[in-house]
Amino acid sequence: MERAEEEALARSSQESSGAIGAAVGTLTLLEYSFIIIPARAIHEAQCARPFVPQRSAPGAPAAAATRESIFTVKSIRESAIVMKQSLRLFNQQKGLGYLVGNLAFDIVTQTATVMVSASVMTISAMLLSLSTVQRIAEAEGGNIPRDILDRILVSNPFHVQVASGAIGYGWGGLVSLPLLIARNQLRQSAYRGWRSTIPGARSGLSHSLWALGVGNNCLSAINFYLRNQIIKALGNPYAPPAAPVIPPPAPSVDATPYLAEYGAGIGGFPVPPQTQSQSQPHPQPPQPQPQPHFEPVDQRSFTHKAAYFMLNKLVGLTATGLVGVAHLPVLVLFNRLSLNPGLSYSAAVSDILQTEGWQGFYKGIGWYLLTHSDVLFPYIA
């Protein structure tokens, strides 16, 4: 009776978790379509359109004193209001077809980036840790186990993980660069064919975009790595319990005496009849394997689940803010160069410093935090 109650509770918990997962997935899809995509498009347009400050006189300096800091409470409040109005207006103007098309393009781009990054990172980890492979093979009696990749990634020292990660995500950034440029150009109605998506003399795009694409992909990976490290450093508070423990299978029983007792040998060959002296007690047939013991997957209270969710959002926002110190300037330059053929890296940097000051490299910081911190529904560790 207790077993039946436990299984019923487990099924109920699994159904509840499935319903919650479906609801979160739906909200994630809606958020990405109606918030993340418009936010990125607006941010790209802001970066591509240079800001021209007002000057008091033709010979006056670049009006640095009149530029208000973007980090004041007033600026943040005003930016939030502008962001809300911009999102509503953008969704009204573009329509559902634009959002669905961008969603499909983003799925293709992210899939290609992740596949290339993961594949190259795994190969790099194996090449950089041949001694680890040899040690694992020797421990297994000269055989290479099936889970060799997982064991390598876990047992590798930190410097090997960093090196393999840099190589993998670097190649992922290189391969996905034309797709990212095409996405930016399509969103801003600046697409001129596939040749315009490859930096070089033919497209007029700066060669610096290759380095910026690699930096963008690597810094995005560092963002997620930093989140996981912060959660681990905090001791994984409010985390869901571990998966149910399935009992190990019972040791196999030698069925030869059982077959011999009933006159059929292994392979169908006859077994000589046993003499009285060789007679054994009546053997028992092989016992069936024990069935897994089902337990509830997650019995946390709503308060603990909410605390876990909010903690992940706060950690994501913190990690994005820290990584954004280096990532946001890369994105600003990437967006400006990818949408302005003929503009060089040095000219873009000089223009930003002269017209906007150092704060120009952090233009659209609100959009960046919204699109990269997963502050709403995605990313539940």
Side-chain angles (χ1 to χ4, degrees):
M1 185 63 180
E2 294 181 357
R3 176 65 178 275
E5 293 177 353
E6 291 178 356
E7 292 181 356
L9 183 59
R11 286 192 296 269
S12 175
S13 178
Q14 292 175 354
E15 292 174 358
S16 176
S17 300
I20 293 176
V24 172
T26 302
L27 291 173
T28 299
L29 185 62
L30 293 175
E31 181 211 5
Y32 195 91
S33 301
F34 292 97
I35 297 179
I36 302 301
I37 290 177
R40 287 179 176 173
I42 295 172
H43 187 213
E44 292 161 4
Q46 286 182 350
C47 295
R49 183 177 62 253
F51 169 75
V52 181
Q54 297 180 354
R55 299 175 183 268
S56 56
T66 61
R67 288 197 297 266
E68 185 178 356
S69 174
I70 61 176
F71 300 104
T72 62
V73 176
K74 179 182 178 181
S75 297
I76 295 174
R77 183 171 61 250
E78 292 177 351
S79 298
I81 296 174
V82 172
M83 288 173 62
K84 179 181 177 181
Q85 295 174 348
S86 300
L87 283 175
R88 183 173 64 251
L89 183 62
F90 186 93
N91 288 322
Q92 291 175 353
Q93 292 178 345
K94 296 299 182 179
L96 184 61
Y98 176 90
L99 300 176
V100 172
N102 275 270
L103 177 63
F105 201 100
D106 279 3
I107 291 175
V108 173
T109 303
Q110 293 297 328
T111 302
T113 305
V114 171
M115 289 180 62
V116 173
S117 300
S119 301
V120 176
M121 183 174 61
T122 302
I123 296 174
S124 302
M126 293 188 66
L127 294 177
L128 293 172
S129 57
L130 293 177
S131 59
T132 304
V133 176
Q134 184 178 4
R135 185 172 65 254
I136 294 176
E138 291 176 353
E140 297 290 337
N143 299 321
I144 298 181
R146 294 183 178 180
D147 61 343
I148 182 68
L149 295 179
D150 296 335
R151 294 168 67 172
I152 287 175
L153 295 177
V154 170
S155 59
N156 268 341
F158 179 74
H159 68 276
V160 173
Q161 296 182 22
V162 172
S164 60
I167 295 173
Y169 286 105
W171 275 100
L174 291 176
V175 172
S176 63
L177 179 64
L179 291 174
L180 294 177
I181 294 177
R183 183 188 67 182
N184 287 10
Q185 293 177 351
L186 286 170
R187 285 176 178 170
Q188 306 305 324
S189 302
Y191 182 71
R192 297 176 288 111
W194 66 269
R195 289 186 176 88
S196 68
T197 64
I198 302 177
R202 173 170 289 185
S203 64
L205 298 178
S206 172
H207 289 86
S208 302
L209 282 168
W210 294 107
L212 293 173
V214 171
N216 175 41
N217 199 38
C218 290
L219 288 169
S220 297
I222 292 174
N223 187 345
F224 284 95
Y225 176 80
L226 183 59
R227 299 182 197 187
N228 293 329
Q229 294 304 310
I230 293 176
I231 291 292
K232 290 180 180 179
L234 295 176
N236 295 313
Y238 306 112
V245 178
I246 300 177
S252 58
V253 179
D254 186 8
T256 303
Y258 179 78
L259 296 174
E261 179 72 12
Y262 291 91
I266 298 177
F269 296 99
V271 178
Q274 295 179 338
T275 61
Q276 185 67 23
S277 60
Q278 295 176 336
S279 62
Q280 301 291 335
H282 192 280
Q284 297 294 328
Q287 298 296 323
Q289 298 295 332
Q291 297 297 322
H293 181 64
F294 295 96
E295 296 178 358
V297 177
D298 192 353
Q299 292 184 342
R300 294 175 301 167
S301 64
F302 176 80
T303 303
H304 280 190
K305 291 180 180 180
Y308 181 69
F309 182 85
M310 295 303 298
L311 177 65
N312 276 279
K313 302 301 106 179
L314 179 61
V315 169
L317 189 61
T318 302
T320 302
L322 294 175
V323 176
V325 174
H327 193 192
L328 186 52
V330 170
L331 278 179
V332 170
L333 289 170
F334 180 86
N335 292 331
R336 179 161 295 195
L337 292 175
S338 65
L339 296 171
N340 290 280
L343 182 64
S344 65
Y345 178 84
S346 58
V349 173
S350 177
D351 178 65
I352 292 174
L353 290 176
Q354 290 180 3
T355 59
E356 304 173 70
W358 66 270
Q359 293 184 98
F361 293 103
Y362 295 94
K363 177 185 291 184
I365 186 172
W367 297 118
Y368 173 77
L369 293 175
L370 178 62
T371 56
H372 288 78
S373 65
D374 300 326
V375 72
L376 298 180
F377 292 106
Y379 188 71
I380 300 180

